[in-house]
């Protein structure tokens, strides 16, 4: 089999070498594929021939080598310009989600205020931005800030509040916060006037609105309408309260996003500062591994940030290419004045043109002054985020190593490096399985994980299941001269420990320490037991050693449950289809491959079975059997 794999790989590389010789000297995108034909990386290039060839020549870092080791084929798409290649790359990544690309899959979303595009518009706070002709404003620092602003606007501008119009007026009408379009005819002009005023307010015109409200308040006071004057005064105070919560950081009132990034040890951090109306309202950082060129992957991330996002700033500030960072350039906008190097100028020009033509916003690469300081601050924050990540990893690694050392002292076993843990899974005795995970120096070694289908035990018998699996595992270890563990962890108490020790010592002649983890009523790790007969080891519940054992038990339980679900699902599918006369293993596999699932087969029509060579009669019987109907008696 290994010889076949090597031959297959050599054949793939021969195809790649042939295709490399045919690459054009043009811009475009390339799609790298693995041996299954899955797209694992999408990239862009000014010259496809040079960029794609570079993957298969010269030396690379560890992460790029990992990517290259999986490539078995590639495709490319020629574009008419570098700008088109940038946009196409973004769209291809969204379409295929390649595992080695920078993917914008962060759960962090910011709240926006939206004016809906309806005959009777309304205001809402949303985290989901879609192209529905609605007007979006934001992002806001948090949901509270957005809700406070919306609450203020509800008092000032009485748009409808109900999602579905009722058949009678509601409380909002009585308190003056809705014009009640449910019972009154509200003209389009009235709604448009309120929408324009809300838009002006959210676009920074609150000072003008304050002046208008102040004039109205004074007029109401002169007319001795003190109740109305007090209401207007409260509105003015609310505007001040909402707006003063945000710190002004620039003298102008331009909406802009400021980007900075840093890389280290194969990881990238991107920091974004969201500034609205000259105010810094939110900062956000994303960390992820990257496999390509650092600046190219950073620009790919930026493109994804703005993909399908109608709530755009007026300006975007980006850092220049890494080589340009140390030079003292005099020009502020990209490509203007004196560039530091031709290739840097060209790269920044391509990015600027792509984003400006696509998003209709102004893109700058600041090189001096306050705007340069803003980009530098974003870069510093990105660098700090990376440093903090690695400090935390180092701290956790030190704690884990110390926990492993101390665990051996608690158990009296000496140094523990390799731990093998077992867990059983079944539901009412059906499809019993077991699983084993391996931790080396406190870290999971996933390539060593093993799954077991229980063969000799009938029904839900945890003790005998544990005996069978321990026997099978360590017979294989002895036969193949595999690495012995320093500690075996079983899921359970005295019975499981005793059974495991009996098999190891009396059947196999092995003397490996065995401990058991007992769970409480809430299915949480509660006690550590060891020995035969087993006794409680007084390990503190808040210790790093106990936390390590919890992680091991959670991991083996997760692995066993996942395997059990897969086995049960396959068993159900097999039994459903195999019970149908005329369906053997070959046809069952063909049906599942063609339709994808039993549910899809149930939803099919008789004629959908023709491509598989299944006639109408058998197709009808398959559908009736799967849909719970008895097959019609044969005439």
């Amino acid at each position: 089999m290994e010889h076949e794999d090597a031959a297959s790989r050599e054949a793939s590389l021969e195809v790649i070498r042939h295709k490399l010789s045919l690459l054009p000297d043009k811009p475009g995108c390339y799609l790298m594929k693995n041996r299954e034909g899955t797209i694992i990386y999408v990239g862009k290039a000014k010259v496809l021939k040079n960029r794609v060839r570079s993957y298969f020549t010269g030396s690379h870092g560890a992460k790029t080598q990992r990517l290259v080791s999986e490539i078995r084929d590639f495709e490319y798409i020629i574009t008419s310009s570098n700008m088109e290649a940038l946009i196409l790359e973004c769209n291809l990544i969204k379409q295929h989600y390649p595992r080695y690309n920078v993917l914008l899959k962060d759960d962090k979303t910011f709240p926006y205020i939206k004016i809906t595009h309806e005959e009777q518009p309304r205001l809402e706070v949303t985290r989901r931005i879609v192209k529905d002709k609605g007007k979006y404003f934001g992002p806001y620092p948090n949901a509270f800030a957005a809700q406070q602003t919306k609450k203020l606007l509800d008092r000032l501008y009485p748009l409808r509040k109900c999602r579905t119009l009722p058949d009678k007026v509601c409380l909002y009408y009585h308190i003056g916060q809705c014009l009640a379009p449910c019972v009154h005819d509200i003209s389009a002009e009235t709604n448009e006037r309120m929408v324009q005023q809300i838009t002006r307010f959210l676009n920074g015109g609150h000072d003008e609105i304050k002046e208008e409200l102040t004039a109205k308040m004074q007029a109401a006071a002169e007319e001795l309408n003190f109740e109305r004057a007090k209401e207007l005064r409260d509105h003015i105070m609310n505007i001040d309260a909402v707006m003063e919560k945000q710190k002004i950081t620039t003298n102008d009132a331009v909406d802009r996003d400021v980007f900075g990034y840093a890389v280290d040890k194969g990881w990238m951090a991107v920091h974004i500062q969201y500034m609205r109306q000259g105010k810094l309202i939110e900062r956000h950082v994303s960390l992820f591994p990257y496999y390509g060129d650092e600046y190219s992957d950073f620009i790919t991330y930026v493109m994804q940030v703005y993909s399908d996002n109608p709530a755009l700033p007026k300006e975007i500030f980006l850092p220049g290419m890494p080589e340009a960072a140390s030079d003292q350039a005099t020009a502020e906008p990209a490509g203007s004045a004196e560039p530091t190097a031709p290739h840097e100028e060209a790269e920044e020009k391509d990015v600027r043109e792509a984003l400006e033509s696509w998003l209709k916003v102004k893109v700058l690469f600041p090189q001096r002054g306050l705007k340069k300081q803003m980009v530098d601050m974003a870069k510093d924050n990105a660098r700090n985020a990376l440093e903090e990540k690695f400090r935390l990893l180092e701290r956790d690694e030190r704690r884990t190593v110390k926990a492993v050392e101390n665990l051996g002292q608690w158990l009296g076993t000496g140094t523990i490096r390799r731990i093998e843990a077992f867990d059983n899974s079944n539901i009412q005795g059906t499809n019993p399985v077991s699983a084993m995970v391996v931790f080396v120096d406190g870290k999971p070694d996933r390539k060593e994980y093993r799954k077991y289908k229980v063969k000799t035990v009938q029904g839900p018998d945890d003790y005998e299941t544990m005996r069978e699996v321990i026997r099978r595992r360590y017979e294989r270890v002895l036969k193949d001269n595999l690495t012995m563990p320093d500690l075996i962890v079983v899921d359970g108490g005295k019975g499981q420990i005793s059974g495991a020790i009996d098999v190891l010592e009396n059947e196999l002649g092995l003397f490996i320490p065995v401990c058991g983890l007992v769970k409480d009523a809430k299915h949480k790790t509660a006690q550590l037991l060891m020995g035969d007969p087993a006794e409680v080891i007084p390990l503190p519940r808040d210790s790093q050693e106990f936390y390590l054992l919890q992680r091991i038990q959670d991991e083996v339980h997760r692995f066993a449950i996942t395997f059990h679900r897969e086995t049960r699902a396959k068993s159900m599918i097999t039994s459903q289809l195999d019970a149908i006369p005329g369906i053997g293993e070959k046809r069952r596999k063909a049906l599942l491959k063609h339709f994808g699932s039993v549910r899809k087969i149930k939803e099919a029509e008789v004629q959908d079975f023709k491509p598989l060579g299944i006639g109408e009669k058998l197709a009808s019987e398959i559908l009736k059997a799967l849909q719970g109907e008895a097959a019609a008696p044969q005439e």
Side-chain angles (χ1 to χ4, degrees):
M1 192 69 182
E2 291 179 4
H3 177 71
E4 290 176 2
D5 287 343
S8 175
R9 182 176 182 184
E10 184 57 37
S12 298
L13 292 176
E14 182 60 33
V15 171
I16 287 175
R17 284 191 285 269
H18 177 67
K19 293 176 78 170
L20 287 174
S21 65
L22 303 176
L23 282 166
D25 294 318
K26 293 183 179 180
C29 290
Y30 51 90
L31 302 89
M32 300 298 193
K33 298 181 177 181
N34 63 11
R35 62 183 178 183
E36 284 83 29
T38 304
I39 295 171
I40 58 174
Y41 188 76
V42 172
K44 59 185 176 296
K46 294 179 183 177
V47 181
L48 282 167
K49 178 184 287 187
N50 297 343
R51 184 72 186 103
V52 178
R53 279 182 173 178
S54 69
Y55 284 92
F56 304 97
T57 57
S59 59
H60 303 288
K63 283 186 174 289
T64 305
Q65 284 179 0
R66 181 178 168 189
L67 163 64
V68 173
S69 70
E70 292 191 30
I71 298 173
R72 295 293 179 273
D73 194 8
F74 68 86
E75 294 179 6
Y76 60 88
I77 303 170
I78 298 172
T79 60
S80 59
S81 66
N82 297 329
M83 180 187 72
E84 280 189 15
L86 276 168
I87 298 171
L88 177 60
E89 180 199 36
C90 180
N91 292 331
L92 289 171
I93 290 172
K94 283 166 53 185
Q95 179 182 348
H96 297 289
Y97 289 97
R99 61 175 297 195
Y100 286 110
N101 273 100
V102 171
L103 298 176
L104 188 63
K105 51 186 178 183
D106 209 323
D107 291 335
K108 175 74 172 178
T109 55
F110 301 125
Y112 291 78
I113 290 179
K114 174 184 175 182
I115 306 175
T116 63
H117 181 72
E118 299 172 277
E119 184 179 350
Q120 297 294 334
R122 60 188 176 83
L123 277 177
E124 65 179 18
V125 174
T126 181
R127 293 180 184 270
R128 185 168 170 264
I129 299 176
V130 294
K131 291 184 178 179
D132 57 359
K133 297 186 179 179
K135 294 186 177 182
Y136 292 84
F137 303 89
Y140 284 82
N142 50 60
F144 178 76
Q147 291 287 359
Q148 287 293 98
T149 305
K150 177 184 177 295
K151 189 176 178 181
L152 170 62
L153 293 169
D154 285 338
R155 293 171 181 163
L156 295 173
Y157 308 106
L159 292 179
R160 77 177 175 100
K161 303 295 182 292
C162 304
R163 285 183 174 273
T164 304
L165 290 178
D167 55 5
K168 60 181 180 179
V169 297
C170 62
L171 178 62
Y172 287 110
Y173 173 74
H174 294 294
I175 63 175
Q177 292 189 21
C178 180
L179 297 179
C182 51
V183 296
H184 299 299
D185 291 329
I186 309 301
S187 67
E189 291 77 12
T190 300
N191 284 326
E192 181 60 27
R193 186 171 61 254
M194 285 192 289
V195 168
Q196 288 179 357
Q197 290 173 331
I198 292 171
T199 301
R200 184 176 58 152
F201 181 96
L202 293 173
N203 279 334
H206 44 81
D207 288 333
E208 298 173 21
I209 291 170
K210 268 180 59 180
E211 292 175 6
E212 293 173 7
L213 292 175
T214 302
K216 289 180 181 180
M217 178 185 69
Q218 292 170 348
E222 290 174 3
E223 294 171 3
L224 305 182
N225 188 350
F226 298 116
E227 187 175 343
R228 175 62 176 163
K230 180 180 180 299
E231 183 183 345
L232 291 165
R233 184 201 66 183
D234 290 344
H235 287 334
I236 295 168
M237 292 174 65
N238 285 328
I239 291 174
D240 289 335
V242 169
M243 294 303 154
E244 283 176 5
K245 291 179 181 177
Q246 298 172 346
K247 180 184 176 183
I248 296 177
T249 55
T250 56
N251 294 327
D252 56 11
V254 177
D255 292 355
R256 57 171 63 96
D257 294 346
V258 183
F259 285 80
Y261 80 96
V263 295
D264 191 15
K265 300 181 179 71
W267 281 77
M268 178 179 292
V270 178
H271 186 90
I272 312 173
Q273 296 174 174
Y274 294 93
M275 305 190 70
R276 297 297 180 267
Q277 300 303 307
K279 304 173 182 68
L280 178 61
I281 68 164
E282 182 59 270
R283 294 179 296 172
H284 179 56
V285 66
S286 295
L287 294 96
F288 43 82
Y290 76 99
Y291 297 87
D293 172 75
E294 68 174 70
Y295 195 74
S296 178
D297 279 5
F298 164 66
I299 295 302
T300 296
Y301 181 89
V302 174
M303 299 288 281
Q304 289 185 66
V305 166
Y306 295 111
S307 176
D308 298 326
N309 185 352
L312 298 170
K314 300 295 182 185
E315 293 180 351
I316 297 172
F317 289 0
L318 299 175
M321 292 186 69
E323 295 82 1
S326 61
D327 295 328
Q328 298 298 319
T330 58
E332 182 172 306
S336 62
E338 301 173 7
T340 55
H343 70 282
E344 293 167 13
E345 177 192 10
E347 178 77 18
E348 293 170 2
K349 182 180 178 182
D350 290 340
V351 172
R352 188 185 76 248
E353 288 180 352
L355 285 171
E356 288 185 346
S357 64
W358 188 26
L359 304 175
K360 312 304 180 192
V361 300
K362 190 174 184 181
V363 178
L364 301 174
F365 293 84
Q367 296 178 4
R368 65 180 181 183
L370 177 61
K371 295 178 180 178
K372 174 68 161 53
Q373 292 174 18
M374 291 162 65
V375 172
D376 288 344
M377 183 170 72
K379 290 163 66 176
D380 288 342
N381 277 280
R383 194 173 299 108
N384 288 337
L386 268 187
E387 290 172 357
E388 181 179 342
K389 173 185 173 63
F390 292 126
R391 280 198 301 269
L392 289 172
L393 286 174
E394 289 170 5
R395 185 190 67 180
D396 289 344
E397 188 168 341
R398 285 197 301 270
R399 285 182 174 180
T400 299
V401 170
K402 189 67 176 175
V404 173
E405 292 174 357
N406 293 344
L407 184 61
Q409 295 175 8
W410 275 101
L411 299 178
T413 60
T415 304
I416 292 176
R417 293 199 65 246
R418 182 184 178 94
I419 299 174
E420 296 186 357
F422 296 83
D423 190 15
N424 306 324
S425 181
N426 68 77
I427 296 178
Q428 297 178 346
T430 62
N431 305 109
V433 298
S434 189
M436 180 195 77
V437 301
V438 178
F439 275 62
V440 178
D441 293 330
K443 299 177 184 177
D445 188 353
R446 291 184 172 82
K447 68 179 183 297
E448 294 282 325
Y449 286 14
R450 294 293 182 269
K451 303 171 182 176
Y452 299 91
K453 287 185 179 180
V454 179
K455 298 178 179 179
T456 63
V457 182
Q458 299 297 322
D461 189 336
D462 268 357
Y463 301 143
E464 287 303 317
T465 298
M466 188 61 69
R467 292 175 67 91
E468 177 190 327
V469 173
I470 292 290
R471 184 182 299 113
R472 289 167 58 187
R473 167 61 183 168
Y474 295 104
E475 280 179 348
R476 173 58 62 88
V477 169
L478 289 170
K479 180 181 177 182
D480 296 345
N481 196 26
L482 303 177
T483 304
M484 287 285 183
D486 301 306
L487 178 68
I488 295 172
V489 179
V490 299
D491 183 65
K494 295 180 179 180
Q496 285 86 346
I497 295 173
S498 178
I501 291 175
D502 180 44
V503 171
L504 288 167
E505 295 183 359
N506 299 326
E507 295 184 27
L508 304 176
L510 295 175
F511 294 89
I512 304 171
V514 179
C515 67
L517 294 171
V518 182
K519 295 176 181 174
D520 57 21
K522 296 182 179 178
H523 212 66
K524 298 293 184 183
T525 307
Q527 285 184 326
L528 173 64
L529 301 177
M530 191 170 179
D532 191 16
E535 295 180 355
V536 176
I537 305 295
L539 198 61
R541 294 283 294 271
D542 59 351
S543 66
Q544 286 296 317
E545 296 78 22
F546 198 86
Y547 174 59
L548 171 62
L549 291 173
Q550 278 183 317
R551 282 171 47 215
I552 292 173
Q553 188 174 41
D554 290 344
E555 175 68 357
V556 70
H557 182 67
R558 177 201 65 78
F559 191 50
I561 286 289
T562 302
F563 180 43
H564 181 257
R565 286 173 180 161
E566 292 171 356
T567 305
R568 187 156 52 100
K570 289 177 182 177
S571 173
M572 291 169 66
I573 290 171
T574 301
S575 61
Q576 275 184 291
L577 293 174
D578 284 348
I580 302 170
I583 300 297
E585 183 180 357
K586 188 174 180 181
R587 269 189 172 153
R588 169 166 54 82
K589 289 180 178 178
L591 282 165
L592 289 172
K593 183 177 181 181
H594 181 73
F595 290 101
S597 68
V598 172
R599 183 177 63 82
K600 295 280 182 64
I601 300 174
K602 287 180 183 180
E603 296 170 354
E605 301 292 337
V606 170
Q607 59 268 24
D608 295 334
F609 292 82
K610 287 184 178 179
L612 297 171
I614 295 176
E616 292 184 8
K617 184 177 178 181
L618 180 54
S620 298
E621 291 178 357
I622 292 171
L623 293 174
K624 286 175 182 177
L626 292 179
Q627 293 165 2
E629 299 174 11
Q634 296 184 7
E635 295 182 0

